[in-house]
Every structure is written in structure tokens, then in C-alpha cells.
Amino acid sequence: MRLGCHISIRNGYLGAAKHAISLNASAYQFFPKNPRSLSVKDYDSLDAKSCKDFCRERNLISVTHTPYPTSLTPTPDKKKAVIDSLLNDLEISEACGAIGTVVHFGSRINPKDPLSSYQLMIEMLDEVLSQWEGECKILLENNAGVRGSMGTSLEELVQVRNLCDYSEKIGFCLDTCHAYASGLWNGENWAEVAEKGGELGYFEHLYVIHLNNCKYPSGEGKDRHANIFGKGFIQEDQFTELIQSFVVNDIPFILETPNEEGITKAEEIEQLLKKWGK
């Protein structure tokens, strides 16, 4: 099981990679810059290269997560800022050796014209990726929200990728809390999800899984992450079915679970490896 968690870059990019190793992680996620800003960062290229070399030497996989304000369906006044920020995220991620940068699926901008949101998403992705020549991919993450909300189905994710002019530069990130909250995965239907994803070609382009429990029942649309064991509505046997499924073989699992519930990330990783590491 390739497992890790989200790591702060307060000690730099190399520092984050070293922190991941100290937690016995074999994968990790980090913000490439300030998570609350769309500003373009003039990053330390030597630190980034050191991070990339360190990860390569230790077979440590990393992904990044775009800042919270990043939206693939921005208002017109934010469009350029989002494009510039995303290109900056891709550049930093590539320099650090990350395989992709996670971006949340877009949100509905006009209830009377739902197609306009998808069209804007595709336009944004094409604008960014037409300027990007690196190996690092944009990884579209499924949304939480009630069933039927934008970004909650595998069909949407796959179709947006297929309709982009640069689909080869796009992959996916599956968030288990989001999938559970939306009802995509209700804990009992993983076989159905796996079959549907296989038919659509979703799992061929899945690069990372955000491994999170959910504090609310399936289908309520509430995006509240919980720790894996004993803190949420997803049961151990349900996680077992997902984690041991052949469709997610070799996919890294990244914890985005709470830190204030009395368990450290090192302890949670140890628990998970003991349960599912083999």
C-alpha cells in the first residue's frame, strides 16, 4: 500500500519530503505555495530540485494541491489570475517532481444554463494546458455535494477530460469522502463504481486517491472529513473492499484527515499500514 498524507512546506520543499519519510510515508501531497492565494510564487528552484532528487532516490511519490481559491469556473474578473496561478502550480510541481496537481472540479455558474459551466471548465483547461509542456498533469477531483451537483459523477469527470484538446495532460483524483458524501459511493456499491469506472476509462487515468472518512451519512452532500477508524460513517470493511480492489492497484493513497481528533498522522499511517499494508 503506497500511503501518505498532506504535508506542510513551512520548512521548504525538501523539508516536506523529509517529513514524509519520517512518517513512514511512501507518498505525500503539498501545496506548492500559499493555499489561500492565487498569487504567482517566485519559488526556490534549488530547493525544488533537491526535493525532486530526494524523492527519486527514495521512490517517494508526490502530488500537489492547488490553492483554495482556484476555480475552473471563475468569474470573468478572476479568470486570468486562475490561469496564471495554475501554470505557476504546474511549474512548481514539475520542478519538485510531483506527478500531478489536484484541482477541484468546477461549480455551477448559471442554474438556468448548466452546460455553460462545463464549457467554461473546458475552455479554462485548454487555455492552461495549451501553454504547458511539462510532464506534470492536472488531476481533476470529484466534488462533494448532493447527487446531481456538478462534479459528483464519473461520467462528468471522464467527459470533461475527453472534450479537452489536451486530454493527455489530464488525470483524476478520487476523494473517498466526496464520493461518499455525494452518494457516488455509498459504502455498499464499490463493485458497481469499479465496473462503471472501468467501462468509462476512469481508472486508466486515476493518479491519486484522497483517503478520507466522512462525518455524515452518504448522500447528504456534506464535505466533512473524518479519520479512517471509528470517526466516520464509512466502515472498515467498506474501506477494505475499495483499497484491495484491483482497479486501484499501485495508486497512492493520501490522507486529508483531521489533526485535532487525538491521533497524529504518524499514528494513523501506522494503523493503516498494519491493517492494509500488505
Side-chain angles (χ1 to χ4, degrees):
M1 184 183 190
R2 190 174 280 279
L3 175 68
C5 61
H6 189 94
I7 302 283
S8 168
I9 60 165
R10 67 170 60 93
N11 294 316
Y13 300 123
L14 177 59
K18 288 182 175 180
H19 187 189
I21 289 292
S22 75
L23 298 175
N24 198 26
S26 52
Y28 72 105
Q29 176 179 274
F30 62 98
F31 287 117
K33 59 193 181 195
N34 183 346
R36 304 193 182 281
S37 171
L38 290 175
S39 61
V40 171
K41 180 176 180 177
D42 185 13
Y43 66 98
D44 185 336
S45 59
L46 290 179
D47 182 30
K49 184 179 186 305
S50 296
C51 173
K52 182 176 184 177
D53 293 342
F54 180 88
C55 291
R56 182 181 294 146
E57 290 166 5
R58 287 157 181 80
N59 192 26
L60 179 63
I61 289 180
S62 71
V63 296
T64 66
H65 197 298
T66 55
Y68 298 124
T70 306
S71 171
L72 291 174
T73 50
T75 55
D77 60 309
K78 294 285 182 63
K79 185 175 177 181
K80 184 179 186 305
V82 170
I83 290 171
D84 291 345
S85 179
L86 253 174
L87 285 167
N88 185 228
D89 295 335
L90 285 164
E91 182 184 359
I92 296 171
S93 303
E94 177 99 350
C96 290
I99 60 174
T101 187
V102 176
V103 186
H104 289 149
F105 201 88
S107 57
R108 203 154 283 166
I109 55 176
N110 183 352
K112 296 181 180 179
D113 181 15
L115 282 180
S116 63
S117 301
Y118 297 103
Q119 290 165 345
L120 178 57
M121 266 194 75
I122 293 165
E123 178 186 322
M124 289 287 293
L125 287 165
D126 281 345
E127 178 69 21
V128 171
L129 295 175
S130 67
Q131 302 175 61
W132 175 243
E133 299 297 333
E135 296 297 320
C136 183
K137 297 182 184 294
I138 283 181
L139 305 180
L140 297 178
E141 180 178 357
N142 59 304
N143 286 343
V146 295
R147 186 182 293 275
S149 300
M150 190 170 171
T152 59
S153 73
L154 299 184
E155 288 88 348
E156 292 171 277
L157 289 149
V158 170
Q159 186 70 339
V160 164
R161 180 183 183 275
N162 288 344
L163 290 173
C164 284
D165 291 337
Y166 305 91
S167 58
E168 73 280 2
K169 301 179 184 181
I170 299 172
F172 302 119
C173 166
L174 176 68
D175 187 299
T176 57
C177 173
H178 296 180
Y180 192 79
S182 69
L184 168 63
W185 175 46
N186 61 23
E188 301 294 337
N189 66 334
W190 178 253
E192 178 185 322
V193 174
E195 181 179 7
K196 173 63 72 174
E199 292 172 355
L200 293 169
Y202 172 82
F203 290 105
E204 295 173 29
H205 306 289
L206 180 65
Y207 283 80
V208 64
I209 294 173
H210 286 166
L211 186 64
N212 304 305
N213 211 322
C214 187
K215 288 188 176 181
Y216 291 92
S218 179
E220 291 197 359
K222 296 179 180 178
D223 182 13
R224 290 291 304 280
H225 296 191
N227 295 99
I228 302 304
F229 295 120
K231 300 292 185 179
F233 277 84
I234 306 174
Q235 303 302 304
E236 285 186 32
D237 62 329
Q238 295 169 339
F239 273 122
T240 296
E241 185 182 17
L242 186 156
I243 290 168
Q244 296 182 346
S245 175
F246 75 94
V247 296
V248 299
N249 280 353
D250 302 321
I251 303 297
F253 292 87
I254 302 294
L255 293 166
E256 294 179 322
T257 49
N259 294 315
E260 65 277 2
E261 300 288 346
I263 181 172
T264 67
K265 281 294 176 288
E267 291 169 336
E268 193 164 19
I269 287 172
E270 182 180 6
Q271 286 182 347
L272 293 172
L273 290 176
K274 184 176 181 180
K275 176 74 176 179
W276 293 300
K278 296 181 180 180

